[in-house]
Amino acid sequence: MKTTVSLFALALGVACISCVDNSRFDMDIPPVVPGNAGGNGQEKPVESNYSEKHRPQIHYTPVANWVNDPNGMVYLDGVWHLYYQYNPGGPDWGNLSWGHATSSDLVHWKEEAVVLRPDNLGMVFSGSAVCDHENSAGFGRDAIVALYTASGEFQQQALAYSTDGGMTFATYEGNPVIANSSMPDFRDPKVFWHEETAQWIMCLAKGWSYGVELWGSADLRHWDRLSEFTIPDERCNKGQWECPDLVRMRFNGHDKWVLLLSVNPGGPCGGSGTMYFPGEFDGTVFVADTRDDYPLWVDHGPDNYAGVTWSNAPEGRNVFIGWMNNWNYAGASPVSPWRSAFTLPRELTLIEKDGLATLCSRVVEELDGIAGSPQPVNGSFDAGDAYKLSLVLPTGENSRFSLSNSVGECMEFVYNASSRSLTVKRNSRTGNTAFADLFSLPGVNVPLGCAGSATGLDIYVDQSSVEVFASDGSATATFLVYPTCIYDRLDAVGLEATVTKLERIW
Ligand code: FRU
């Protein structure tokens, strides 16, 4: 296994020579823990009351250890399953496995046993899971079938299945289901059922080759390559492509498709970011709309990466969650014993704005279940564990406001009426920024694109994050922050604001 790992590092090293930065995969990878799917118990148990400094109170985090991408999310029988990239053995990237949490309301989460661990094909990178209602794969009606990247000497696609509602998985003896012995980057399979052509479709990202391949299958085991999406626009080809998701959405009364695609580096604030491309998909080929404003960002902040949507969500909902971090500094995040959280789950919709398809994200309505009643605010307030701040900005006037705490740490927001944009200062005044050179950001530009005389902002503030939503959802910006204690003072001259306390989920 050691050989496999170092060959993998070597392959990536070669990619680095051709002027690409794969350094985050180049770190010392600890030897993988061999084992088959499922099982837990090789790690020392760690306990938590979820009250450590910076511990998120309304966002899921595992008790301990490293996480990155959310992956394989699937809904079944009232349970939202959240699987994710996880190192069961420590606080750094490596030994990638699939951690697991469950929820009945997308708000309160229970950490479950690790479901997939590295095996002789390599580490268990990102992927997806579907509910096989018609037993197309032969593992049983309603089996949950996971497709993921086995990352060893090469990145290959592998299958695992669960016949107990997603609590444990067995790896398929016919793995890999898509072999690869040439491409350095070929990963993060996201699978969905395409009704019109009666087949499963898989999207796969090709990293530094800037392509998303689409594959088709009748049974989830045998796959044929259908097409490849590329975009000859260098603004979209600045970093490696990862974690694609082709999502069917409603738009002006008909179906439209949106490709979500994470890119690193080259994100809106440097480092990681997630682009989207509205377009059409005919069961074989995805064609992005022709427009001149690419890249479009799912989120304008630095800390929303590798997000994809839940499979099999009820009522055709498109529920998205991202990794709330950035490869620029994730490995140095000053938190322990866990490392990294996910964004609040968000409902995605597509609206027409200035004649163009525009993605909107809003926090799922289930969060109202932990919300108190809005209280008018200006000055100090009782922040509780976490809260939502809602403000009304008159769009025709410049304005500014800030959030701060009793030790004087402060995050500033400046609205510019002529550009209709908000500048958010995630600088050294916000708290601890010294742990990584690239963490401090003097001014992040969030275009609000607002029309009318006033626009609303909803800002969700937790112990170590600030998530900004223009209230029609068409602009969002997600920030990690590490203040000594939560911000509990608003200074907003001439702006109407309310605070709604959000109860901790633990
Ligand atoms: C994205 C990513 C994926 C990969 C995983 C490895 O953050 O690089 O492309 O599958 O993380 O942990």
Side-chain angles (χ1 to χ4, degrees), residues 382-465:
D382 173 9
D385 301 310
Y387 58 90
K388 173 171 78 164
L389 170 71
S390 302
L391 289 127
V392 181
L393 299 180
T395 47
E397 295 161 31
N398 290 344
S399 58
R400 57 172 63 224
F401 61 95
S402 67
L403 282 169
S404 59
N405 61 16
S406 55
V407 298
E409 291 158 338
C410 172
M411 188 165 194
E412 284 182 280
F413 303 78
V414 179
Y415 173 70
N416 182 316
S418 60
S419 59
R420 308 249 146 161
S421 64
L422 188 70
T423 301
V424 184
K425 302 186 182 181
R426 205 262 306 270
N427 57 23
S428 59
R429 295 187 63 201
T430 57
N432 181 3
T433 56
F435 60 92
D437 290 346
L438 296 173
F439 189 75
S440 177
L441 297 169
V444 168
N445 182 46
V446 186
L448 299 181
C450 38
S453 59
T455 194
L457 285 183
D458 287 329
I459 305 183
Y460 293 81
V461 181
D462 198 344
Q463 301 290 320
S464 48
S465 61

Side-chain angles (χ1 to χ4, degrees), residues 57-59 344 363 367-373 382-389 459-462 499-505:
Q57 297 299 302
I58 57 166
H59 294 82
L344 288 171
V363 169
L367 206 80
D368 292 347
I370 56 168
S373 54
D382 173 9
D385 301 310
Y387 58 90
K388 173 171 78 164
L389 170 71
I459 305 183
Y460 293 81
V461 181
D462 198 344
V499 158
T500 305
K501 280 213 267 180
L502 301 167
E503 246 168 56
R504 83 196 288 252
I505 62 171

Side-chain angles (χ1 to χ4, degrees), residues 301-348:
D303 298 310
N304 181 356
Y305 193 60
V308 289
T309 57
W310 255 271
S311 183
N312 202 40
E315 295 144 27
R317 292 174 73 183
N318 288 312
V319 181
F320 166 101
I321 193 168
W323 177 44
M324 194 155 59
N325 219 320
N326 188 311
W327 283 112
N328 270 352
Y329 40 71
S333 308
V335 293
S336 178
W338 81 101
R339 190 174 260 162
S340 274
F342 304 104
T343 65
L344 288 171
R346 301 162 183 203
E347 189 106 26
L348 301 184

